[in-house]
């Protein structure tokens, strides 16, 4: 329990130092999200403004289990990039919410308004992710998310998350 208090105090200190913007490392992410490898798809959060915006990344090594096929080679599915955007949105929405230790966060994909895949990811690299919470009404958060590879668009999405 002392570790949890130290961790939240550390995050609050970092928040004060950076004018309300917070950077999250893997231990911080694991404290907020229920996901674990191999389904945890956010490796680092560069900046987070709770309830509003987050920027992060997913490092794709090319050795991920189940993604390398002998005949086709490596492919990182765009559906996983969309999931990474969703997890980053969850971090932005859930950060700082008090809950019991055994109380899992309750978020669900409610609707996909728009989804554009600009290219395939056929080799290892870093996917840069960003999300903006457009609005929150009656338990639904509208999220605009973007993923880029090497500075070029990879995936753009507009979707709704049910927050309960």
């Amino acid at each position: 329990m002392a570790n949890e208090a130290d961790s939240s105090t550390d995050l609050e200190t970092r928040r004060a130092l950076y004018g309300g913007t917070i950077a999250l490392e893997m231990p911080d992410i694991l404290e907020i999200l229920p996901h674990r490898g191999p389904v945890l798809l956010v490796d680092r959060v560069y900046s987070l403004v709770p309830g509003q915006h987050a920027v992060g990344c997913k490092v794709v090594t090319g050795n991920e289990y189940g993604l390398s096929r002998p005949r086709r080679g490596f492919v990182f599915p765009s559906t996983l990039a969309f999931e990474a955007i969703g997890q980053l949105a969850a971090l932005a929405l859930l950060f700082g919410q008090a809950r019991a230790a055994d109380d899992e966060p309750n978020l669900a994909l409610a609707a996909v308004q728009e989804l554009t895949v600009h290219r395939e990811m056929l080799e290892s690299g870093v996917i840069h992710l960003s999300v903006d919470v457009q609005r929150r009404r009656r338990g639904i958060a509208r999220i605009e998310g973007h993923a880029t590879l090497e500075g070029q668009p990879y995936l753009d999405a507009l979707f709704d998350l049910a927050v309960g």
Side-chain angles (χ1 to χ4, degrees), residues 60-76:
V60 179
T61 65
N63 294 323
E64 284 80 2
Y65 177 77
L67 298 180
S68 185
R69 298 185 182 119
R71 293 187 185 176
R72 272 194 78 200
F74 174 81
V75 176
F76 189 79

Side-chain angles (χ1 to χ4, degrees), residues 25-77:
E25 300 295 330
M26 188 53 71
D28 306 318
I29 294 168
L30 291 172
E31 189 176 310
I32 298 167
L33 292 180
H35 304 77
R36 298 295 179 263
V39 295
L40 179 61
L41 297 172
V42 177
D43 292 326
R44 172 175 273 166
V45 178
Y46 299 119
S47 68
L48 182 141
V49 178
Q52 297 176 28
H53 176 76
V55 176
C57 74
K58 166 64 181 156
V59 178
V60 179
T61 65
N63 294 323
E64 284 80 2
Y65 177 77
L67 298 180
S68 185
R69 298 185 182 119
R71 293 187 185 176
R72 272 194 78 200
F74 174 81
V75 176
F76 189 79

Side-chain angles (χ1 to χ4, degrees), residues 1-8 31:
M1 201 136 191
N3 288 342
E4 287 179 23
D6 293 344
S7 176
S8 68
E31 189 176 310

Side-chain angles (χ1 to χ4, degrees), residues 48-131:
L48 182 141
V49 178
Q52 297 176 28
H53 176 76
V55 176
C57 74
K58 166 64 181 156
V59 178
V60 179
T61 65
N63 294 323
E64 284 80 2
Y65 177 77
L67 298 180
S68 185
R69 298 185 182 119
R71 293 187 185 176
R72 272 194 78 200
F74 174 81
V75 176
F76 189 79
S78 56
T79 53
L80 292 181
F82 179 64
E83 173 64 21
I85 289 171
Q87 289 179 17
L88 185 64
L91 286 164
L93 292 169
L94 296 173
F95 182 85
Q97 289 187 0
R99 61 180 188 270
D102 61 347
D103 185 22
E104 292 294 326
N106 190 10
L107 290 175
L109 180 64
V112 177
Q113 304 298 329
E114 297 174 24
L115 181 64
T116 304
V117 178
H118 299 281
R119 60 193 285 197
E120 288 187 80
M121 184 173 192
L122 301 175
E123 57 188 40
S124 60
V126 178
I127 303 172
H128 293 279
L129 310 163
S130 68
V131 296

Side-chain angles (χ1 to χ4, degrees), residues 13-25:
T13 301
R14 283 190 268 163
R15 182 183 210 174
L17 288 173
Y18 295 106
T21 300
I22 302 160
L24 302 177
E25 300 295 330

